[in-house]
Protein backbone atom coordinates (compact mmCIF):
# COMPACT_ATOMS: atom_id res chain seq x y z
CA UNK A 1 0.00 0.00 0.00
CA UNK A 2 1.32 3.42 -0.96
CA UNK A 3 0.61 7.09 -0.67
CA UNK A 4 1.14 8.57 -4.14
CA UNK A 5 2.07 12.23 -4.33
CA UNK A 6 1.79 14.32 -7.48
CA UNK A 7 4.28 17.19 -7.70
CA UNK A 8 5.42 19.61 -10.40
CA UNK A 9 8.90 18.59 -11.53
CA UNK A 10 11.35 19.43 -8.77
CA UNK A 11 8.56 20.72 -6.49
CA UNK A 12 6.51 19.68 -3.48
CA UNK A 13 3.49 17.40 -3.65
CA UNK A 14 0.29 19.25 -4.52
CA UNK A 15 -2.07 16.26 -4.27
CA UNK A 16 -1.76 12.94 -2.43
CA UNK A 17 -3.73 9.76 -2.96
CA UNK A 18 -4.01 6.38 -1.23
CA UNK A 19 -3.06 3.43 -3.43
CA UNK A 20 -4.14 0.20 -1.69
CA UNK A 21 -2.17 -2.28 -3.81
CA UNK A 22 -1.61 -5.04 -1.25
CA UNK A 23 -4.52 -7.10 -2.65
CA UNK A 24 -3.11 -7.02 -6.20
CA UNK A 25 -0.09 -9.27 -5.63
CA UNK A 26 0.84 -11.04 -8.88
CA UNK A 27 -1.37 -8.77 -10.97
CA UNK A 28 -0.82 -5.47 -12.71
CA UNK A 29 -2.54 -2.11 -12.93
CA UNK A 30 -2.14 1.01 -15.02
CA UNK A 31 -2.34 4.14 -12.89
CA UNK A 32 -3.28 7.31 -14.72
CA UNK A 33 -3.88 10.95 -13.88
CA UNK A 34 -7.08 12.44 -15.23
CA UNK A 35 -9.08 15.65 -15.04
CA UNK A 36 -8.18 19.28 -14.47
CA UNK A 37 -5.99 20.73 -11.71
CA UNK A 38 -7.63 24.11 -12.38
CA UNK A 39 -10.84 22.91 -10.76
CA UNK A 40 -12.75 22.64 -14.02
CA UNK A 41 -15.07 19.67 -14.46
CA UNK A 42 -14.02 16.87 -14.31
CA UNK A 43 -11.76 17.49 -11.32
CA UNK A 44 -8.24 16.11 -11.14
CA UNK A 45 -7.87 12.58 -9.83
CA UNK A 46 -5.74 9.46 -9.96
CA UNK A 47 -7.28 6.25 -11.30
CA UNK A 48 -6.16 2.63 -11.65
CA UNK A 49 -7.20 0.35 -14.51
CA UNK A 50 -7.03 -3.31 -13.43
CA UNK A 51 -6.42 -6.33 -15.69
CA UNK A 52 -10.13 -7.18 -15.84
CA UNK A 53 -11.00 -3.69 -17.08
CA UNK A 54 -12.22 -2.37 -13.73
CA UNK A 55 -11.27 1.28 -13.21
CA UNK A 56 -11.10 2.53 -9.62
CA UNK A 57 -10.56 6.07 -8.39
CA UNK A 58 -7.81 6.33 -5.80
CA UNK A 59 -9.08 8.18 -2.73
CA UNK A 60 -7.48 11.45 -1.66
CA UNK A 61 -5.04 11.20 1.22
CA UNK A 62 -5.73 13.70 3.97
CA UNK A 63 -3.07 13.57 6.70
CA UNK A 64 -4.76 13.39 10.09
CA UNK A 65 -3.92 13.00 13.75
CA UNK A 66 -5.96 11.42 16.55
CA UNK A 67 -6.78 13.67 19.50
CA UNK A 68 -8.73 13.19 22.72
CA UNK A 69 -9.73 16.38 24.55
CA UNK A 70 -10.26 16.54 28.33
CA UNK A 71 -11.88 19.55 30.03
CA UNK A 72 -10.05 19.96 33.35
CA UNK A 73 -10.38 23.71 33.84
CA UNK A 74 -12.74 24.66 36.65
CA UNK A 75 -14.29 27.23 34.34
CA UNK A 76 -17.73 27.67 32.82
CA UNK A 77 -19.01 25.20 30.28
CA UNK A 78 -17.42 26.05 26.93
CA UNK A 79 -17.83 25.60 23.21
CA UNK A 80 -14.72 24.49 21.34
CA UNK A 81 -14.06 25.71 17.82
CA UNK A 82 -11.55 24.24 15.35
CA UNK A 83 -10.52 26.67 12.60
CA UNK A 84 -13.64 28.73 13.27
CA UNK A 85 -16.11 25.85 13.09
CA UNK A 86 -17.94 24.55 16.17
CA UNK A 87 -16.34 21.19 17.07
CA UNK A 88 -17.58 20.51 20.64
CA UNK A 89 -20.69 22.17 22.07
CA UNK A 90 -21.46 22.51 25.78
CA UNK A 91 -18.19 20.94 26.90
CA UNK A 92 -18.41 20.67 30.69
CA UNK A 93 -15.71 20.52 33.37
CA UNK A 94 -14.38 16.95 33.78
CA UNK A 95 -15.80 15.74 30.49
CA UNK A 96 -13.73 14.08 27.75
CA UNK A 97 -14.30 13.52 24.07
CA UNK A 98 -13.80 10.28 22.24
CA UNK A 99 -10.92 10.16 19.78
CA UNK A 100 -11.23 12.95 17.17
CA UNK A 101 -9.57 12.88 13.75
CA UNK A 102 -8.11 16.35 13.18
CA UNK A 103 -5.91 17.92 10.51
CA UNK A 104 -2.22 18.42 11.21
CA UNK A 105 -2.44 22.20 11.55
CA UNK A 106 -5.39 23.98 13.12
CA UNK A 107 -6.36 26.63 15.64
CA UNK A 108 -8.56 25.87 18.65
CA UNK A 109 -10.83 28.63 19.88
CA UNK A 110 -12.53 28.55 23.29
CA UNK A 111 -15.82 30.41 23.90
CA UNK A 112 -18.36 30.40 26.72
CA UNK A 113 -21.15 27.95 25.87
CA UNK A 114 -23.70 29.53 23.56
CA UNK A 115 -21.43 32.44 22.67
CA UNK A 116 -19.35 32.80 19.53
CA UNK A 117 -16.97 35.26 21.22
CA UNK A 118 -13.59 33.50 21.33
CA UNK A 119 -11.95 33.96 24.75
CA UNK A 120 -8.67 32.21 23.92
CA UNK A 121 -7.04 30.75 20.80
CA UNK A 122 -4.34 28.10 20.55
CA UNK A 123 -2.54 27.05 17.33
CA UNK A 124 -1.55 23.38 16.98
CA UNK A 125 0.87 21.62 14.64
CA UNK A 126 0.72 17.82 14.97
CA UNK A 127 2.35 14.88 13.21
CA UNK A 128 0.68 12.74 10.59
CA UNK A 129 -0.74 9.66 12.29
CA UNK A 130 0.13 11.04 15.73
CA UNK A 131 -1.97 10.25 18.79
CA UNK A 132 -2.46 13.01 21.34
CA UNK A 133 -4.34 14.06 24.44
CA UNK A 134 -5.14 17.74 24.99
CA UNK A 135 -6.13 18.86 28.49
CA UNK A 136 -7.86 22.18 29.15
CA UNK A 137 -6.23 23.32 32.37
CA UNK A 138 -5.75 26.37 34.57
CA UNK A 139 -8.25 29.12 35.28
CA UNK A 140 -9.61 31.88 33.06
CA UNK A 141 -8.35 35.27 34.25
CA UNK A 142 -5.83 33.80 36.70
CA UNK A 143 -2.25 35.05 36.25
CA UNK A 144 -0.62 32.36 38.43
CA UNK A 145 -2.27 29.36 36.75
CA UNK A 146 -3.73 30.82 33.52
CA UNK A 147 -6.06 28.91 31.26
CA UNK A 148 -4.12 26.76 28.80
CA UNK A 149 -4.36 23.71 26.57
CA UNK A 150 -1.70 21.17 27.55
CA UNK A 151 -0.90 18.55 24.92
CA UNK A 152 1.08 15.31 25.02
CA UNK A 153 1.57 12.37 22.73
CA UNK A 154 -0.13 9.15 23.78
CA UNK A 155 2.00 6.73 21.80
CA UNK A 156 3.20 5.09 24.97
CA UNK A 157 2.49 1.39 24.89
CA UNK A 158 2.19 -1.54 27.22
CA UNK A 159 3.02 -5.21 27.11
CA UNK A 160 0.05 -7.57 26.97
CA UNK A 161 -1.58 -7.86 30.38
CA UNK A 162 -0.46 -4.36 31.39
CA UNK A 163 -1.81 -0.84 30.98
CA UNK A 164 -0.01 2.19 29.54
CA UNK A 165 -0.58 5.11 31.92
CA UNK A 166 0.12 8.82 31.46
CA UNK A 167 -0.60 11.09 34.43
CA UNK A 168 -1.34 14.82 34.18
CA UNK A 169 -1.11 17.08 37.24
CA UNK A 170 -4.06 19.44 36.79
CA UNK A 171 -4.89 20.63 40.30
CA UNK A 172 -4.08 24.35 40.31
CA UNK A 173 -3.55 24.71 44.08
CA UNK A 174 -1.77 21.40 44.80
CA UNK A 175 2.00 21.10 45.33
CA UNK A 176 4.18 18.75 43.31
CA UNK A 177 3.16 15.17 44.02
CA UNK A 178 4.30 11.58 43.94
CA UNK A 179 1.92 9.01 42.47
CA UNK A 180 1.91 5.76 44.43
CA UNK A 181 0.85 2.31 43.23
CA UNK A 182 0.36 -0.21 46.03
CA UNK A 183 2.61 1.96 48.20
CA UNK A 184 5.46 2.15 45.67
CA UNK A 185 6.34 5.38 43.86
CA UNK A 186 5.09 5.15 40.29
CA UNK A 187 5.66 8.81 39.34
CA UNK A 188 7.78 11.16 41.44
CA UNK A 189 7.78 14.93 41.86
CA UNK A 190 5.08 15.70 39.27
CA UNK A 191 4.42 19.44 39.21
CA UNK A 192 1.24 21.24 38.21
CA UNK A 193 0.99 21.44 34.43
CA UNK A 194 3.23 18.43 33.78
CA UNK A 195 2.55 15.05 32.21
CA UNK A 196 4.36 12.04 33.63
Amino acid sequence: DYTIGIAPTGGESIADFIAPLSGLGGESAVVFASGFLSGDDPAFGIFAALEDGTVIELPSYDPMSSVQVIHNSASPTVDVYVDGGLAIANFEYRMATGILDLPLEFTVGIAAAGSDEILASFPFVLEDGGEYVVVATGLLGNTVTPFDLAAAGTTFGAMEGNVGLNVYHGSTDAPSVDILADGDVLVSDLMYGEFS
Side-chain angles (χ1 to χ4, degrees), residues 2-27:
Y2 290 88
T3 300
I4 297 178
I6 305 298
T9 301
E12 302 263 332
S13 177
I14 57 172
D16 295 307
F17 300 86
I18 299 168
L21 305 178
S22 60
L24 295 177
E27 299 181 38

PDB file of all heavy atoms in Angstrom, residues 2-27:
ATOM      1  N   TYR A   2       0.502   2.226  -0.806  1.00  0.00           N
ATOM      2  CA  TYR A   2       1.325   3.415  -0.960  1.00  0.00           C
ATOM      3  C   TYR A   2       0.486   4.680  -0.831  1.00  0.00           C
ATOM      4  O   TYR A   2      -0.717   4.666  -1.042  1.00  0.00           O
ATOM      5  CB  TYR A   2       1.986   3.448  -2.358  1.00  0.00           C
ATOM      6  CG  TYR A   2       3.056   2.407  -2.551  1.00  0.00           C
ATOM      7  CD1 TYR A   2       2.727   1.132  -3.012  1.00  0.00           C
ATOM      8  CD2 TYR A   2       4.385   2.691  -2.275  1.00  0.00           C
ATOM      9  CE1 TYR A   2       3.701   0.169  -3.183  1.00  0.00           C
ATOM     10  CE2 TYR A   2       5.376   1.728  -2.452  1.00  0.00           C
ATOM     11  CZ  TYR A   2       5.023   0.467  -2.908  1.00  0.00           C
ATOM     12  OH  TYR A   2       5.992  -0.482  -3.070  1.00  0.00           O
ATOM     13  N   THR A   3       1.163   5.758  -0.504  1.00  0.00           N
ATOM     14  CA  THR A   3       0.609   7.094  -0.673  1.00  0.00           C
ATOM     15  C   THR A   3       1.323   7.697  -1.872  1.00  0.00           C
ATOM     16  O   THR A   3       2.552   7.815  -1.870  1.00  0.00           O
ATOM     17  CB  THR A   3       0.842   7.962   0.571  1.00  0.00           C
ATOM     18  OG1 THR A   3       0.209   7.348   1.690  1.00  0.00           O
ATOM     19  CG2 THR A   3       0.262   9.358   0.362  1.00  0.00           C
ATOM     20  N   ILE A   4       0.565   8.030  -2.915  1.00  0.00           N
ATOM     21  CA  ILE A   4       1.142   8.571  -4.142  1.00  0.00           C
ATOM     22  C   ILE A   4       0.982  10.076  -4.128  1.00  0.00           C
ATOM     23  O   ILE A   4      -0.134  10.589  -3.984  1.00  0.00           O
ATOM     24  CB  ILE A   4       0.450   7.972  -5.387  1.00  0.00           C
ATOM     25  CG1 ILE A   4       0.690   6.458  -5.441  1.00  0.00           C
ATOM     26  CG2 ILE A   4       0.944   8.645  -6.661  1.00  0.00           C
ATOM     27  CD1 ILE A   4       0.014   5.769  -6.597  1.00  0.00           C
ATOM     28  N   GLY A   5       2.095  10.774  -4.275  1.00  0.00           N
ATOM     29  CA  GLY A   5       2.074  12.226  -4.330  1.00  0.00           C
ATOM     30  C   GLY A   5       2.325  12.702  -5.749  1.00  0.00           C
ATOM     31  O   GLY A   5       3.166  12.148  -6.459  1.00  0.00           O
ATOM     32  N   ILE A   6       1.604  13.715  -6.170  1.00  0.00           N
ATOM     33  CA  ILE A   6       1.791  14.317  -7.484  1.00  0.00           C
ATOM     34  C   ILE A   6       2.404  15.696  -7.264  1.00  0.00           C
ATOM     35  O   ILE A   6       1.844  16.524  -6.539  1.00  0.00           O
ATOM     36  CB  ILE A   6       0.451  14.460  -8.242  1.00  0.00           C
ATOM     37  CG1 ILE A   6      -0.265  13.106  -8.325  1.00  0.00           C
ATOM     38  CG2 ILE A   6       0.666  15.065  -9.614  1.00  0.00           C
ATOM     39  CD1 ILE A   6       0.485  12.045  -9.078  1.00  0.00           C
ATOM     40  N   ALA A   7       3.561  15.935  -7.905  1.00  0.00           N
ATOM     41  CA  ALA A   7       4.278  17.195  -7.705  1.00  0.00           C
ATOM     42  C   ALA A   7       4.749  17.730  -9.049  1.00  0.00           C
ATOM     43  O   ALA A   7       5.115  16.952  -9.942  1.00  0.00           O
ATOM     44  CB  ALA A   7       5.483  16.979  -6.788  1.00  0.00           C
ATOM     45  N   PRO A   8       4.762  19.065  -9.212  1.00  0.00           N
ATOM     46  CA  PRO A   8       5.418  19.606 -10.400  1.00  0.00           C
ATOM     47  C   PRO A   8       6.893  19.245 -10.348  1.00  0.00           C
ATOM     48  O   PRO A   8       7.469  19.139  -9.263  1.00  0.00           O
ATOM     49  CB  PRO A   8       5.191  21.113 -10.283  1.00  0.00           C
ATOM     50  CG  PRO A   8       4.828  21.356  -8.862  1.00  0.00           C
ATOM     51  CD  PRO A   8       4.251  20.091  -8.317  1.00  0.00           C
ATOM     52  N   THR A   9       7.506  19.039 -11.485  1.00  0.00           N
ATOM     53  CA  THR A   9       8.897  18.587 -11.534  1.00  0.00           C
ATOM     54  C   THR A   9       9.779  19.445 -10.626  1.00  0.00           C
ATOM     55  O   THR A   9       9.792  20.664 -10.735  1.00  0.00           O
ATOM     56  CB  THR A   9       9.424  18.642 -12.980  1.00  0.00           C
ATOM     57  OG1 THR A   9       8.604  17.805 -13.792  1.00  0.00           O
ATOM     58  CG2 THR A   9      10.867  18.169 -13.051  1.00  0.00           C
ATOM     59  N   GLY A  10      10.455  18.762  -9.700  1.00  0.00           N
ATOM     60  CA  GLY A  10      11.347  19.434  -8.768  1.00  0.00           C
ATOM     61  C   GLY A  10      10.652  20.127  -7.622  1.00  0.00           C
ATOM     62  O   GLY A  10      11.305  20.760  -6.790  1.00  0.00           O
ATOM     63  N   GLY A  11       9.308  19.998  -7.521  1.00  0.00           N
ATOM     64  CA  GLY A  11       8.562  20.720  -6.489  1.00  0.00           C
ATOM     65  C   GLY A  11       7.989  19.815  -5.420  1.00  0.00           C
ATOM     66  O   GLY A  11       8.278  18.618  -5.361  1.00  0.00           O
ATOM     67  N   GLU A  12       7.171  20.402  -4.572  1.00  0.00           N
ATOM     68  CA  GLU A  12       6.509  19.683  -3.481  1.00  0.00           C
ATOM     69  C   GLU A  12       5.200  19.080  -3.980  1.00  0.00           C
ATOM     70  O   GLU A  12       4.602  19.571  -4.941  1.00  0.00           O
ATOM     71  CB  GLU A  12       6.210  20.660  -2.335  1.00  0.00           C
ATOM     72  CG  GLU A  12       7.430  21.362  -1.780  1.00  0.00           C
ATOM     73  CD  GLU A  12       7.976  20.689  -0.545  1.00  0.00           C
ATOM     74  OE1 GLU A  12       7.192  20.055   0.178  1.00  0.00           O
ATOM     75  OE2 GLU A  12       9.178  20.790  -0.303  1.00  0.00           O
ATOM     76  N   SER A  13       4.743  18.056  -3.278  1.00  0.00           N
ATOM     77  CA  SER A  13       3.494  17.404  -3.654  1.00  0.00           C
ATOM     78  C   SER A  13       2.326  18.388  -3.531  1.00  0.00           C
ATOM     79  O   SER A  13       2.210  19.110  -2.547  1.00  0.00           O
ATOM     80  CB  SER A  13       3.243  16.195  -2.763  1.00  0.00           C
ATOM     81  OG  SER A  13       2.007  15.596  -3.082  1.00  0.00           O
ATOM     82  N   ILE A  14       1.474  18.394  -4.552  1.00  0.00           N
ATOM     83  CA  ILE A  14       0.285  19.252  -4.523  1.00  0.00           C
ATOM     84  C   ILE A  14      -0.994  18.450  -4.329  1.00  0.00           C
ATOM     85  O   ILE A  14      -2.040  19.011  -4.059  1.00  0.00           O
ATOM     86  CB  ILE A  14       0.180  20.108  -5.800  1.00  0.00           C
ATOM     87  CG1 ILE A  14       0.151  19.212  -7.041  1.00  0.00           C
ATOM     88  CG2 ILE A  14       1.309  21.121  -5.870  1.00  0.00           C
ATOM     89  CD1 ILE A  14      -0.133  19.953  -8.330  1.00  0.00           C
ATOM     90  N   ALA A  15      -0.903  17.125  -4.478  1.00  0.00           N
ATOM     91  CA  ALA A  15      -2.065  16.264  -4.266  1.00  0.00           C
ATOM     92  C   ALA A  15      -1.559  14.876  -3.903  1.00  0.00           C
ATOM     93  O   ALA A  15      -0.620  14.368  -4.521  1.00  0.00           O
ATOM     94  CB  ALA A  15      -2.938  16.207  -5.519  1.00  0.00           C
ATOM     95  N   ASP A  16      -2.163  14.271  -2.896  1.00  0.00           N
ATOM     96  CA  ASP A  16      -1.755  12.943  -2.427  1.00  0.00           C
ATOM     97  C   ASP A  16      -2.953  12.004  -2.458  1.00  0.00           C
ATOM     98  O   ASP A  16      -4.086  12.403  -2.159  1.00  0.00           O
ATOM     99  CB  ASP A  16      -1.198  13.022  -1.007  1.00  0.00           C
ATOM    100  CG  ASP A  16       0.085  13.837  -0.938  1.00  0.00           C
ATOM    101  OD1 ASP A  16       1.011  13.530  -1.709  1.00  0.00           O
ATOM    102  OD2 ASP A  16       0.163  14.769  -0.122  1.00  0.00           O
ATOM    103  N   PHE A  17      -2.674  10.747  -2.810  1.00  0.00           N
ATOM    104  CA  PHE A  17      -3.725   9.757  -2.964  1.00  0.00           C
ATOM    105  C   PHE A  17      -3.293   8.444  -2.307  1.00  0.00           C
ATOM    106  O   PHE A  17      -2.110   8.126  -2.258  1.00  0.00           O
ATOM    107  CB  PHE A  17      -4.020   9.512  -4.452  1.00  0.00           C
ATOM    108  CG  PHE A  17      -4.480  10.748  -5.168  1.00  0.00           C
ATOM    109  CD1 PHE A  17      -3.562  11.638  -5.703  1.00  0.00           C
ATOM    110  CD2 PHE A  17      -5.828  11.036  -5.277  1.00  0.00           C
ATOM    111  CE1 PHE A  17      -3.980  12.794  -6.342  1.00  0.00           C
ATOM    112  CE2 PHE A  17      -6.259  12.188  -5.911  1.00  0.00           C
ATOM    113  CZ  PHE A  17      -5.330  13.066  -6.447  1.00  0.00           C
ATOM    114  N   ILE A  18      -4.271   7.680  -1.835  1.00  0.00           N
ATOM    115  CA  ILE A  18      -4.015   6.375  -1.228  1.00  0.00           C
ATOM    116  C   ILE A  18      -4.116   5.321  -2.319  1.00  0.00           C
ATOM    117  O   ILE A  18      -5.126   5.262  -3.034  1.00  0.00           O
ATOM    118  CB  ILE A  18      -5.021   6.083  -0.104  1.00  0.00           C
ATOM    119  CG1 ILE A  18      -4.905   7.137   0.996  1.00  0.00           C
ATOM    120  CG2 ILE A  18      -4.806   4.687   0.466  1.00  0.00           C
ATOM    121  CD1 ILE A  18      -6.042   7.087   2.002  1.00  0.00           C
ATOM    122  N   ALA A  19      -3.068   4.507  -2.447  1.00  0.00           N
ATOM    123  CA  ALA A  19      -3.059   3.429  -3.434  1.00  0.00           C
ATOM    124  C   ALA A  19      -2.982   2.092  -2.705  1.00  0.00           C
ATOM    125  O   ALA A  19      -1.898   1.624  -2.374  1.00  0.00           O
ATOM    126  CB  ALA A  19      -1.884   3.604  -4.384  1.00  0.00           C
ATOM    127  N   PRO A  20      -4.136   1.478  -2.416  1.00  0.00           N
ATOM    128  CA  PRO A  20      -4.138   0.196  -1.693  1.00  0.00           C
ATOM    129  C   PRO A  20      -3.854  -0.963  -2.651  1.00  0.00           C
ATOM    130  O   PRO A  20      -4.754  -1.563  -3.218  1.00  0.00           O
ATOM    131  CB  PRO A  20      -5.563   0.123  -1.127  1.00  0.00           C
ATOM    132  CG  PRO A  20      -6.388   0.922  -2.105  1.00  0.00           C
ATOM    133  CD  PRO A  20      -5.483   1.965  -2.697  1.00  0.00           C
ATOM    134  N   LEU A  21      -2.581  -1.273  -2.830  1.00  0.00           N
ATOM    135  CA  LEU A  21      -2.167  -2.281  -3.810  1.00  0.00           C
ATOM    136  C   LEU A  21      -1.908  -3.649  -3.205  1.00  0.00           C
ATOM    137  O   LEU A  21      -1.602  -4.588  -3.936  1.00  0.00           O
ATOM    138  CB  LEU A  21      -0.901  -1.798  -4.533  1.00  0.00           C
ATOM    139  CG  LEU A  21      -0.983  -0.420  -5.200  1.00  0.00           C
ATOM    140  CD1 LEU A  21       0.348  -0.056  -5.834  1.00  0.00           C
ATOM    141  CD2 LEU A  21      -2.099  -0.387  -6.227  1.00  0.00           C
ATOM    142  N   SER A  22      -2.014  -3.783  -1.887  1.00  0.00           N
ATOM    143  CA  SER A  22      -1.611  -5.043  -1.250  1.00  0.00           C
ATOM    144  C   SER A  22      -2.443  -6.228  -1.722  1.00  0.00           C
ATOM    145  O   SER A  22      -1.981  -7.356  -1.698  1.00  0.00           O
ATOM    146  CB  SER A  22      -1.684  -4.915   0.274  1.00  0.00           C
ATOM    147  OG  SER A  22      -2.999  -4.605   0.682  1.00  0.00           O
ATOM    148  N   GLY A  23      -3.678  -5.988  -2.175  1.00  0.00           N
ATOM    149  CA  GLY A  23      -4.520  -7.102  -2.649  1.00  0.00           C
ATOM    150  C   GLY A  23      -4.294  -7.450  -4.099  1.00  0.00           C
ATOM    151  O   GLY A  23      -4.960  -8.337  -4.636  1.00  0.00           O
ATOM    152  N   LEU A  24      -3.342  -6.779  -4.769  1.00  0.00           N
ATOM    153  CA  LEU A  24      -3.115  -7.021  -6.196  1.00  0.00           C
ATOM    154  C   LEU A  24      -1.840  -7.811  -6.462  1.00  0.00           C
ATOM    155  O   LEU A  24      -1.333  -7.793  -7.581  1.00  0.00           O
ATOM    156  CB  LEU A  24      -3.043  -5.690  -6.948  1.00  0.00           C
ATOM    157  CG  LEU A  24      -4.314  -4.849  -6.976  1.00  0.00           C
ATOM    158  CD1 LEU A  24      -4.059  -3.525  -7.686  1.00  0.00           C
ATOM    159  CD2 LEU A  24      -5.434  -5.604  -7.671  1.00  0.00           C
ATOM    160  N   GLY A  25      -1.317  -8.510  -5.446  1.00  0.00           N
ATOM    161  CA  GLY A  25      -0.092  -9.274  -5.627  1.00  0.00           C
ATOM    162  C   GLY A  25      -0.186 -10.205  -6.821  1.00  0.00           C
ATOM    163  O   GLY A  25      -1.171 -10.928  -6.977  1.00  0.00           O
ATOM    164  N   GLY A  26       0.815 -10.182  -7.701  1.00  0.00           N
ATOM    165  CA  GLY A  26       0.837 -11.041  -8.879  1.00  0.00           C
ATOM    166  C   GLY A  26       0.048 -10.493 -10.048  1.00  0.00           C
ATOM    167  O   GLY A  26       0.020 -11.103 -11.119  1.00  0.00           O
ATOM    168  N   GLU A  27      -0.595  -9.374  -9.887  1.00  0.00           N
ATOM    169  CA  GLU A  27      -1.371  -8.772 -10.967  1.00  0.00           C
ATOM    170  C   GLU A  27      -0.725  -7.451 -11.374  1.00  0.00           C
ATOM    171  O   GLU A  27       0.330  -7.076 -10.868  1.00  0.00           O
ATOM    172  CB  GLU A  27      -2.816  -8.544 -10.508  1.00  0.00           C
ATOM    173  CG  GLU A  27      -3.553  -9.823 -10.120  1.00  0.00           C
ATOM    174  CD  GLU A  27      -4.988  -9.548  -9.702  1.00  0.00           C
ATOM    175  OE1 GLU A  27      -5.634  -8.675 -10.314  1.00  0.00           O
ATOM    176  OE2 GLU A  27      -5.449 -10.211  -8.761  1.00  0.00           O
TER     177      GLU A  27
END
